[in-house]
Every structure is written in C-alpha cells, then in structure tokens.
Amino acid sequence: MNSVLAFTIIMLVWTVSDYISKKTKSLLSTLLIASLIFLIGFKTNLFPEDLLPSSSLLALGSTVVGFILVHLGTTISLNEFKQQWRTFLIGVAATLGIVAALLLVGPLFEDQSYAIAAIGAISGGTISIIMVQDAAIAAGLLSVAVLPVLISAFQGLIGFPLTSLILRKEANRLHQEYQENPAAFTSTEKIEETTPKKTRLPELFHTTAGTLFVVGVTVLLATLVNNLTNGMINTFILCLLFGIALRELNIFKPNILNGIDAYGLMMLAILIIIFGPLATISIHDLIDLILPLTLSFLVGVTGNVLFAAIAGKFLGYSLSMSIAIGLTSLYGFPGTMILSQEAAKSINGTPEEIALIEGQILPKMVIAGFSTVTITSVFITGILVNLIG
C-alpha cells in the first residue's frame, strides 16, 4: 500500500477516535474506538493487512519505545514518592494482587501465557502491552498478543465509572470529616511544585535533535547493559531506571521529551504498535478470546481490589481511597487527575471545601498512577514475559 495513503488513513482513524473520546469525556477511550475501527476495517477488507507497516509508524514505534520509557522515568520525582510512600505501597500491593490472582487461576486459561498477557495489560499501559506482544509474537502466539489489546480497549469502560463512584464516596467522607473537625484539614497535601532547575546538559543538547541524541544514548546504554547481563535485566526496565536517575542527578530535566517537535508523533507511533496483531487474527480466534478477556477482568480486578484494601487497612487509609488507588492500574494519568477533580466537585460544599477535598485526593491518585502503571507494572511484566511461550 502507498505509504502516504496508509499514514493518512491512520491519522484519520486516530482523529475520529480522539474526537469521540473527548465527546464522551473519556468513557469511550481512544484506544477502544480505534481498536473497533481497525478491527472492522481489517475484517471487512476495507483496510489492507499491510496498512500499519506501510505507514512506517510501526518501525518508528519500535525504535522509540526506549525513548518514551526514559521520558517516563524523568516524569517521576523521588521527593513526591517520599511524601506519598503509603500511597506508593498500596499501588504496589494492588499490582501484586493482579499478579497473584491471575497466576492462581492461570490453569483456567487455555495457556498460562494468556494469564501473563492479562497481567501486563490490566496492571499497566502501552509499554507493558508492547512487552507482552513482543514476547508473544516471538513465540508464535498471535491470540496471546491480541488479548492485551482487547483488555486495554475496555479498561476505561470498567475503571472510570467504578473509580468515579468510589472517589465520590471518599470525597463525601472527607467532607463530613471536615465539617466535624475543620482544623484537621488546614494543611492539605500537594503535588511537589518546584521551579525547574537548569540541567547539567550543555545548551548544545537543548534542541529537539540534541534531546533525542542524549535520550538515544541512554537507550543504547540500557541495551548494552541488557546484553551484558544476557537479558537478565530487561532493556525497558533499565530505560525507566536511567530516566529516574538522570532526572534526580539533574542531568535530564523533568518530562524531558515534552515540548520537543517529535514527541506527539513518537507517542502516536508507540500506540499504533499495539494494533498490529488485529490485522491478521481470525474472527474465530477473537471469539475464543471472550473467555480469557472475561476472566482477566473478573479475576484481575478482584485481586487488585483485595490486595489494595488489605494494604490500605494496614497503612491507615480508608477503604474507598485504598480501592481507588488500586484501580488506577486500569487507566493511569490523566484519568487520575480528572476523576479526582470531578469527585471533589461532587460534594455539596463551598469552593474552599472543594479545593481542600481535592488537595486530599489528587496527590494520592497521581502518585498511585505512577506506582501501578508506570513503575510496578513495567518491572513485573519485564520479568514475567520470559515465561511466555
């Protein structure tokens, strides 16, 4: 297929999907709409099988996965995690709950590889899904590679309304506590807000090309360490760790790729990767995935909620806040921010009270999203993908 035509079609699909998502206030996620459009297009032969590779976006996405992980590392502030260490631990516990529950019922799946694929998708985001897909495709398991795509498409439909109800309950609980004892809320928690420090990188590397060069060198270093350890330490995990470390050492600025000309296209290329298996999977195989898909959500979310609730109990968090923290694995940022703000606005209170409630909920939810989706899931998925096949 003509490469320009393929690229243009994909941009149209993504434009329509993003528009519908915004109109439904993210209830129907961009991934869900795009998955449906691509699936219908491929199965009706409206789209040729080579649509995605012809666009060159798959090749670009595979190249820049490490770049995005280094970037994600630079979005993480260790100071914020120190302030919210209990939230972080609840997020870790929730992710471990997903792992334990799905591995326990693994025999109910046709193959344990489905359980591992479900763990990567339910506990994390696009990067975890790509890690699972790479391992599944290398093992010749196409249906296993498709399962996380379907899970990610439906996560928002489950995670958003469920978390919204739970956070509204938490907001009302906090509001009642405030009315009974206003003094307890005089000091609200806040996400760290500091003036960005000047990085140690020479000005030469502050341009788009310079930034991509230094991030590229970081990815190459991660790949080298991976090779030296015979793959014992996953390249993607190393990219994340290097990003965190280089931010803390003030070598990389926070959110290093934000603002450069290529960032938007790089993110889109990453997302396009996960749709690749939809082009070749059969309708029969899709039907066979209904049971694994259902089991993944029922078992995975149950383990998530149970472990989060237990950890929250020991760490002094309310049941509703603990469960909401665990459920961030189903969507991450910016859903964590949007749902927190909506929950605070749902109380029947003054603007000051709404701001106070938001100050109690929002920092926990944002850190929770990093804890579940960005950190814990990538580490666990990086370990478990070696068992696929």
Side-chain angles (χ1 to χ4, degrees):
M1 186 177 189
N2 179 276
S3 59
V4 176
L5 177 59
F7 184 91
T8 304
I9 290 173
I10 291 172
M11 291 303 113
L12 175 62
V13 171
W14 203 257
T15 299
V16 171
S17 302
D18 193 45
Y19 176 78
I20 294 174
S21 178
K22 288 178 179 177
K23 284 297 182 180
T24 61
K25 296 183 178 179
S26 296
L27 180 60
L28 300 179
S29 70
T30 303
L31 282 175
L32 173 61
I33 302 303
S35 295
L36 290 174
I37 294 175
F38 280 124
L39 188 59
I40 293 171
F42 287 132
K43 297 312 147 192
T44 60
N45 294 321
L46 180 64
F47 296 158
E49 279 190 14
D50 65 345
L51 172 69
L52 300 181
S54 295
S55 70
S56 298
L57 286 171
L58 285 181
L60 174 62
S62 299
T63 302
V64 300
V65 171
F67 286 66
I68 298 301
L69 268 166
V70 173
H71 168 76
L72 286 176
T74 66
T75 67
I76 296 169
S77 165
L78 293 184
N79 285 333
E80 290 174 9
F81 278 102
K82 289 176 184 177
Q83 295 171 12
Q84 293 284 348
W85 64 271
R86 292 184 298 169
T87 300
F88 176 76
L89 289 180
I90 294 172
V92 172
T95 308
L96 292 176
I98 296 171
V99 176
L102 284 169
L103 287 183
L104 186 65
V105 302
L108 296 180
F109 292 94
E110 289 183 21
D111 189 297
Q112 180 177 268
S113 297
Y114 285 106
I116 296 172
I119 289 169
I122 291 180
S123 67
T126 306
I127 299 298
S128 297
I129 292 172
I130 291 172
M131 293 167 74
V132 169
Q133 286 187 331
D134 285 347
I137 292 173
L141 303 173
L142 181 60
S143 58
V144 174
V146 170
L147 179 61
V149 183
L150 300 180
I151 291 174
S152 66
F154 288 98
Q155 278 179 317
L157 285 176
I158 295 173
F160 285 136
L162 188 56
T163 307
S164 179
L165 289 173
I166 293 170
L167 276 185
R168 287 169 188 263
K169 182 179 179 181
E170 175 68 7
N172 287 324
R173 184 190 69 81
L174 289 170
H175 188 216
Q176 184 176 349
E177 282 190 4
Y178 171 78
Q179 291 178 321
E180 294 172 355
N181 183 18
F185 286 78
T186 53
S187 177
T188 58
E189 302 173 67
K190 293 183 179 180
I191 296 294
E192 179 186 10
E193 294 179 8
T194 56
T195 303
K197 299 177 183 177
K198 189 174 182 181
T199 69
R200 296 178 182 177
L201 282 178
E203 190 174 343
L204 170 68
F205 300 113
H206 292 183
T207 62
T208 294
T211 299
L212 291 176
F213 169 75
V214 294
V215 174
V217 170
T218 306
V219 176
L220 289 173
L221 179 60
T223 305
L224 175 63
V225 175
N226 172 81
N227 294 339
L228 290 175
T229 60
N230 293 320
M232 289 182 62
I233 307 178
N234 188 280
T235 300
F236 291 160
I237 294 176
L238 288 166
C239 286
L240 184 65
L241 289 175
F242 285 165
I244 295 172
L246 290 170
R247 168 182 164 145
E248 289 301 313
L249 293 172
N250 203 31
I251 296 174
F252 284 175
K253 68 178 183 178
N255 303 285
I256 188 169
L257 293 183
N258 277 4
I260 71 168
D261 297 335
Y263 180 58
L265 182 60
M266 290 169 71
M267 278 302 301
L268 181 56
I270 290 288
L271 290 167
I272 290 300
I273 291 177
I274 69 174
F275 300 119
L278 294 178
T280 52
I281 193 169
S282 68
I283 296 295
H284 180 267
D285 287 336
L286 283 172
I287 293 173
D288 287 343
L289 284 174
I290 293 176
L291 178 58
L293 181 65
T294 305
L295 279 174
S296 297
F297 278 117
L298 286 177
V299 176
V301 174
T302 298
N304 176 311
V305 169
L306 181 61
F307 274 55
I310 293 172
K313 179 70 174 177
F314 280 104
L315 293 169
Y317 276 26
S318 68
L319 179 63
S320 52
M321 191 70 247
S322 300
I323 293 174
I325 288 170
L327 290 175
T328 58
S329 64
L330 295 175
Y331 46 86
F333 189 86
T336 49
M337 179 183 69
I338 295 170
L339 290 172
S340 299
Q341 293 172 338
E342 289 180 348
K345 292 175 182 177
S346 70
I347 66 168
N348 185 22
T350 65
E352 180 187 11
E353 290 172 337
I354 291 173
L356 287 169
I357 300 303
E358 183 180 320
Q360 294 291 324
I361 294 175
L362 180 58
K364 293 183 179 71
M365 290 295 287
V366 172
I367 293 300
F370 281 125
S371 173
T372 55
V373 176
T374 306
I375 297 180
T376 316
S377 176
V378 171
F379 274 89
I380 291 176
T381 304
I383 295 170
L384 291 179
V385 290
N386 295 317
L387 303 176
I388 291 180

Coordinates of all heavy atoms in Angstrom, one line a residue, residues 1 17 48 78 96 100 110 130 132 212 220 226 228 248 295 360 366:
M1 N 0.9 -1.2 0.0 CA 0.0 0.0 0.0 C 0.9 1.2 0.0 O 2.0 1.3 0.6 CB -0.9 0.0 1.2 CG -1.9 1.1 1.3 SD -3.0 1.0 2.7 CE -4.2 2.3 2.3
S17 N -11.2 8.8 16.5 CA -11.2 8.1 17.8 C -11.0 9.1 19.0 O -11.7 9.1 20.0 CB -10.1 7.1 17.9 OG -10.3 6.1 16.8
P48 N -6.3 -2.8 4.1 CA -5.4 -4.0 3.7 C -4.6 -4.4 4.9 O -4.3 -3.6 5.8 CB -4.5 -3.4 2.6 CG -4.5 -1.9 2.9 CD -5.8 -1.6 3.4
L78 N 11.3 11.5 43.0 CA 11.5 10.7 44.2 C 11.0 11.4 45.4 O 10.6 10.8 46.4 CB 13.0 10.3 44.3 CG 13.5 9.3 43.3 CD1 15.0 8.9 43.6 CD2 12.7 8.1 43.1
L96 N 0.5 -6.4 42.7 CA 0.8 -7.7 43.1 C -0.4 -8.6 43.2 O -0.4 -9.8 43.0 CB 1.6 -7.7 44.4 CG 3.0 -7.1 44.4 CD1 3.6 -7.1 45.8 CD2 3.9 -8.0 43.4
A100 N -1.0 -12.2 41.5 CA -1.3 -13.3 42.3 C -2.6 -14.0 41.8 O -2.7 -15.2 41.7 CB -1.4 -13.0 43.8
E110 N -6.5 -21.3 28.5 CA -6.0 -22.4 27.7 C -4.5 -22.5 27.9 O -4.0 -23.6 27.8 CB -6.3 -22.0 26.2 CG -7.7 -22.1 25.8 CD -7.9 -21.9 24.3 OE1 -7.0 -22.0 23.6 OE2 -9.0 -21.5 23.9
I130 N 3.2 -3.7 24.9 CA 4.2 -3.9 23.9 C 5.2 -5.0 24.3 O 5.6 -5.9 23.5 CB 4.9 -2.6 23.5 CG1 3.9 -1.6 22.8 CG2 6.1 -2.9 22.6 CD1 4.5 -0.3 22.6
V132 N 4.6 -7.5 26.3 CA 3.9 -8.8 26.2 C 3.7 -9.2 24.7 O 4.0 -10.4 24.4 CB 2.5 -8.7 26.8 CG1 1.6 -9.9 26.4 CG2 2.6 -8.5 28.3
L212 N 16.9 14.3 21.5 CA 16.8 13.0 21.0 C 18.1 12.2 21.0 O 18.2 11.0 21.2 CB 16.2 13.0 19.6 CG 14.7 13.5 19.5 CD1 14.3 13.6 18.1 CD2 13.8 12.5 20.3
L220 N 20.7 3.3 24.2 CA 21.8 2.4 23.8 C 22.5 1.8 25.0 O 22.9 0.7 25.0 CB 22.7 3.1 22.9 CG 22.2 3.5 21.5 CD1 23.2 4.4 20.8 CD2 21.9 2.2 20.7
N226 N 21.7 -4.7 29.1 CA 20.8 -5.8 28.9 C 21.6 -7.0 28.3 O 21.5 -8.1 28.7 CB 19.6 -5.4 28.0 CG 18.8 -6.6 27.6 OD1 18.0 -7.1 28.4 ND2 19.0 -7.1 26.4
L228 N 24.9 -7.4 28.2 CA 26.0 -7.8 29.1 C 25.5 -8.8 30.2 O 26.2 -9.7 30.6 CB 26.7 -6.6 29.7 CG 27.6 -5.8 28.8 CD1 28.1 -4.6 29.6 CD2 28.7 -6.6 28.2
E248 N 17.1 12.8 38.8 CA 17.5 13.1 40.1 C 18.9 13.7 40.2 O 19.2 14.5 41.0 CB 17.5 11.8 41.0 CG 16.1 11.3 41.3 CD 15.2 12.3 42.0 OE1 15.8 12.9 43.0 OE2 14.1 12.5 41.7
L295 N -12.4 -13.5 32.1 CA -11.6 -14.0 33.2 C -10.6 -12.9 33.7 O -10.4 -12.7 34.9 CB -10.9 -15.3 32.9 CG -11.7 -16.6 33.0 CD1 -10.9 -17.8 32.6 CD2 -12.2 -16.8 34.5
Q360 N -6.7 16.6 49.2 CA -6.5 15.4 49.9 C -6.5 14.2 48.9 O -5.8 13.2 49.2 CB -7.7 15.2 50.9 CG -7.7 16.2 52.0 CD -6.5 16.0 53.0 OE1 -6.1 14.9 53.2 NE2 -6.0 17.1 53.5
V366 N -2.5 10.7 41.7 CA -1.5 10.9 40.7 C -0.3 10.0 41.0 O 0.2 9.3 40.1 CB -1.0 12.4 40.7 CG1 0.2 12.5 39.8 CG2 -2.2 13.3 40.1

